[in-house]
């Protein structure tokens, strides 16, 4: 919560990249265990942070669908991994030797999507909900406005911003939707803060009563 969703995903992608590389370069069971633990930390953390990021960044009407697509992509990734591993086993003699590179590719290949995730993160906006939680309303509004602009045809957005024959009302509608979303986020965050303060006060009251 303190550093933002994008930074959390970036840290997780480092683990997801280093883990497979450690396993691919290992010469014994110890290296495989260490690499698997490092990789597991990154993957496990991403399984929590990435769906939260998607849900917070997506418009309210599409949140459920995007999170479902994320789950489908996970299944597709696992199926692809098994197929690639199967292809790497074709042509093996079963005696090791020259086939040593095959298992190293199997365990090291997941470093590629981990590195790709880290590279594309600078292109992604921060979660508007996290920005609101930090009190940064203007950056949050900017992110939300970009989200609603992305849903419109590029020509219409360019025309509206350029003041040409584009749909000026459409641009105003996008801004209004972004402001409405910001208001909903701010209200939700304030309710969460109030609930936390209330629980703390209840806990303090119970502790005083016990004393």
């Amino acid at each position: 919560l303190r550093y933002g969703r994008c930074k959390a995903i970036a840290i997780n992608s480092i683990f997801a990249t280093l883990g497979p590389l450690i396993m691919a370069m290992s010469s014994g069971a110890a290296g495989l265990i260490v690499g698997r633990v490092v990789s597991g930390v990154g993957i496990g953390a991403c399984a929590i942070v990435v769906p939260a990021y998607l849900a917070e960044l997506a418009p309210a009407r599409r949140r459920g669908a995007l999170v479902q697509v994320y789950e489908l992509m996970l299944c597709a990734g696992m199926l692809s991994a098994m197929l690639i591993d199967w292809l790497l086993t074709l042509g093996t003699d079963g005696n090791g030797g020259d086939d040593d590179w095959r298992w190293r590719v199997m365990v090291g290949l997941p470093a590629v999507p981990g590195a790709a995730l880290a590279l594309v993160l600078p292109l992604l906006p921060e979660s508007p909900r996290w920005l609101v939680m930090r009190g940064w309303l203007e950056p949050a509004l900017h992110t939300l406005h970009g989200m609603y602009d992305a849903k419109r045809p590029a020509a219409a957005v360019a025309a509206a911003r350029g003041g040409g024959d584009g749909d000026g009302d459409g641009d105003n509608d996008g801004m209004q939707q972004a402001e409405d979303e910001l208001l909903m986020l701010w209200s939700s965050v304030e309710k969460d803060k109030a609930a936390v303060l209330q629980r703390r006060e209840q806990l303090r009251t119970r502790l005083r009563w016990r004393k």
Side-chain angles (χ1 to χ4, degrees):
L1 292 177
R2 180 178 299 178
Y3 301 106
R5 308 294 189 226
C6 286
K7 290 182 180 178
I9 295 174
I11 294 173
N12 296 337
S13 67
I14 293 175
F15 283 92
T17 303
L18 287 180
L21 292 179
I22 292 173
M23 289 188 287
M25 293 184 294
S26 65
S27 57
L32 289 172
I33 293 172
V34 171
R36 191 66 191 93
V37 170
V38 173
S39 180
V41 170
I43 295 173
C46 278
I48 298 174
V49 178
V50 172
Y53 174 76
L54 289 175
E56 293 175 359
L57 191 64
R61 294 181 297 182
R62 300 184 178 180
R63 281 179 192 144
L66 282 177
V67 174
Q68 288 177 351
V69 170
Y70 169 79
E71 298 295 337
L72 287 175
M73 291 299 101
L74 281 180
C75 296
M78 289 185 283
L79 177 61
S80 300
M82 288 188 290
L83 291 175
I84 292 172
D85 290 348
W86 173 72
L87 291 174
L88 287 170
T89 62
L90 297 179
T92 58
D93 56 15
N95 297 320
D98 294 337
D99 296 328
D100 180 70
W101 64 272
R102 296 178 186 270
W103 72 264
R104 295 186 185 275
V105 173
M106 288 182 185
V107 298
L109 199 57
V112 175
L117 177 61
L119 291 175
V120 301
L121 277 174
L123 305 177
L124 300 179
E126 184 53 83
S127 161
R129 181 178 179 84
W130 182 81
L131 293 171
V132 172
M133 291 171 64
R134 303 295 292 178
W136 300 335
L137 299 183
E138 285 297 329
L141 181 60
H142 178 74
T143 298
L144 290 169
H145 194 207
M147 286 166 45
Y148 285 102
D149 267 356
K151 293 167 57 180
R152 300 168 54 205
V157 174
R161 288 179 174 174
D165 296 332
D167 184 8
D169 292 336
D171 191 53
N172 291 334
D173 290 343
M175 178 61 77
Q176 184 62 49
Q177 288 178 319
E179 291 176 352
D180 292 343
E181 185 84 11
L182 179 65
L183 182 60
M184 291 175 58
L185 285 174
W186 179 83
S187 176
S188 175
V189 168
E190 291 300 312
K191 288 179 180 179
D192 290 342
K193 289 180 180 179
V196 170
L197 293 176
Q198 183 178 5
R199 286 195 294 268
R200 287 180 181 176
E201 186 61 30
Q202 290 175 349
L203 180 59
R204 290 172 182 170
T205 302
R206 291 179 182 177
L207 291 175
R208 293 195 197 102
W209 180 80
R210 290 182 180 180
K211 292 180 180 180

